[in-house]
């Protein structure tokens, strides 16, 4: 089975801190995604990547950046954390575009910014 | 623009009943449709994936159907159990292979 591993289940950070959320997948998937999930707003795509060193903005990229130096690892960076970034963050991976294979998600990171 | 709707938003049924969750989408040009389960505070678990050329998929007590022409999918759960209580999300992969999400159905199975 594909595994998508997020490094932390729970994080508490202070306003203004630089925060790194790490995601690793073990099935050589080309595509990786970062979502945030908030009550009443559902899942919203922050950034995604179709290949190493490649990134694309999703629907809500403001305040975030990403890094993909290796195929298996996709990092989400909050340059200066703010309280409105308190949320559940979900990482996902999938095989390359054009195939009929689905997404696999990690277990999520609950981030609280105080 | 693709829109995905799930009805009902919440559902509570006694244990043992068979039930159906609904998902509708506005644009039939999809790659696939995927059903996920989410337990409170947890990530998403993929349940079933239906490719655009398929009509249904089955896994244990779960059966998902797809009717692209009418823009509908259903998730059928047979002989429901308290452990089935969760939020169920459907998502369609559009022509760019991006997922468009429904808002989910919160299911409660009463013992």
């Amino acid at each position: 089975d594909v595994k998508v591993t997020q490094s932390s289940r729970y994080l508490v950070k202070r306003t203004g801190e630089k925060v790194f959320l790490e995601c690793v997948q073990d099935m050589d998937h080309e595509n990786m995604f970062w979502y945030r999930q908030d009550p009443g707003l559902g899942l919203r795509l922050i950034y995604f990547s179709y290949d190493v060193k490649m990134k694309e903005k999703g629907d809500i990229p403001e305040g975030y950046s990403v890094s993909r130096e290796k195929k298996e690892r996709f990092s989400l960076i909050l340059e200066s954390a703010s309280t409105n970034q308190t949320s559940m963050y979900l990482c996902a991976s999938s095989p390359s575009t054009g195939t009929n294979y689905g997404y696999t998600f990690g277990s999520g990171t609950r981030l609280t910014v105080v | 623009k693709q829109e995905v709707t799930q009805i009902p938003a919440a559902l509570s049924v006694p244990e043992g009943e068979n039930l159906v969750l609904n998902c509708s989408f506005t644009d039939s040009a999809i790659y696939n449709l995927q059903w996920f389960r989410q337990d409170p505070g947890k990530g998403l678990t993929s349940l079933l994936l239906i490719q655009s050329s398929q009509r249904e998929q089955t896994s244990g007590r779960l059966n998902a159907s797809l009717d692209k022409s009418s823009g509908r999918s259903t998730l059928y759960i047979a002989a429901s159990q308290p452990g089935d209580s969760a939020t169920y999300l459907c998502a369609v992969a559009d022509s760019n292979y991006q997922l468009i999400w429904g808002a989910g159905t919160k299911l409660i199975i009463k013992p």
Side-chain angles (χ1 to χ4, degrees), chain A residues 62-108:
Chain A
E62 296 78 18
Y64 303 94
S65 63
V66 290
S67 172
R68 195 169 180 196
E69 296 296 319
K70 293 184 178 181
K71 191 174 185 179
E72 68 271 18
R73 184 180 297 270
F74 192 36
S75 302
L76 180 69
I77 304 158
L78 287 65
E79 296 289 344
S80 177
S82 64
T83 54
N84 63 12
Q85 292 178 310
T86 291
S87 186
M88 168 70 95
Y89 290 87
L90 294 164
C91 175
S93 73
S94 75
S96 60
T97 305
T99 63
N100 268 310
Y101 296 97
Y103 285 41
T104 301
F105 279 81
S107 55

Side-chain angles (χ1 to χ4, degrees), chain A residues 7-80:
Chain A
S7 54
S8 303
R9 287 296 311 277
Y10 301 96
L11 276 178
V12 180
K13 297 292 182 180
R14 295 191 181 279
T15 301
E17 278 193 73
K18 190 170 186 176
V19 181
F20 293 85
L21 302 184
E22 305 289 345
C23 176
V24 177
Q25 49 95 4
D26 67 358
M27 279 297 289
D28 203 35
H29 281 177
E30 290 79 11
N31 306 333
M32 297 189 75
F33 307 84
W34 275 106
Y35 289 87
R36 65 177 282 178
Q37 186 180 31
D38 301 285
L41 297 176
L43 282 106
R44 294 180 290 168
L45 182 63
I46 305 171
Y47 267 98
F48 59 99
S49 169
Y50 288 145
D51 203 350
V52 176
K53 296 191 185 295
M54 178 261 172
K55 60 185 179 183
E56 295 283 346
K57 293 180 179 179
D59 299 320
I60 51 163
E62 296 78 18
Y64 303 94
S65 63
V66 290
S67 172
R68 195 169 180 196
E69 296 296 319
K70 293 184 178 181
K71 191 174 185 179
E72 68 271 18
R73 184 180 297 270
F74 192 36
S75 302
L76 180 69
I77 304 158
L78 287 65
E79 296 289 344
S80 177

Side-chain angles (χ1 to χ4, degrees), chain B:
Chain B
K1 179 185 174 185
Q2 179 76 271
E3 293 183 0
V4 180
T5 304
Q6 290 187 247
I7 294 174
L11 181 64
S12 179
V13 301
E15 180 179 4
E17 283 198 9
N18 304 324
L19 58 98
V20 174
L21 307 181
N22 297 293
C23 174
S24 61
F25 48 95
T26 55
D27 186 346
S28 62
I30 63 172
Y31 268 119
N32 58 48
L33 185 145
Q34 202 165 356
W35 282 94
F36 295 89
R37 168 188 173 136
Q38 187 175 33
D39 294 291
K42 302 288 182 62
L44 277 68
T45 300
S46 179
L47 297 173
L48 289 164
L49 170 74
I50 310 177
Q51 299 177 10
S52 59
S53 58
Q54 296 177 323
R55 297 282 292 181
E56 66 177 347
Q57 283 287 330
T58 298
S59 176
R61 293 183 294 107
L62 305 180
N63 175 278
S65 68
L66 175 64
D67 184 344
K68 280 204 317 179
S69 62
S70 65
R72 292 183 182 178
S73 176
T74 61
L75 179 67
Y76 175 82
I77 303 176
S80 58
Q81 303 170 358
D84 295 330
S85 297
T87 296
Y88 291 80
L89 294 155
C90 77
V92 299
D94 67 11
S95 56
N96 295 314
Y97 208 58
Q98 294 295 316
L99 288 187
I100 313 299
W101 294 88
T105 294
K106 184 175 182 179
L107 177 63
I108 297 173
I109 307 298
K110 297 175 288 186

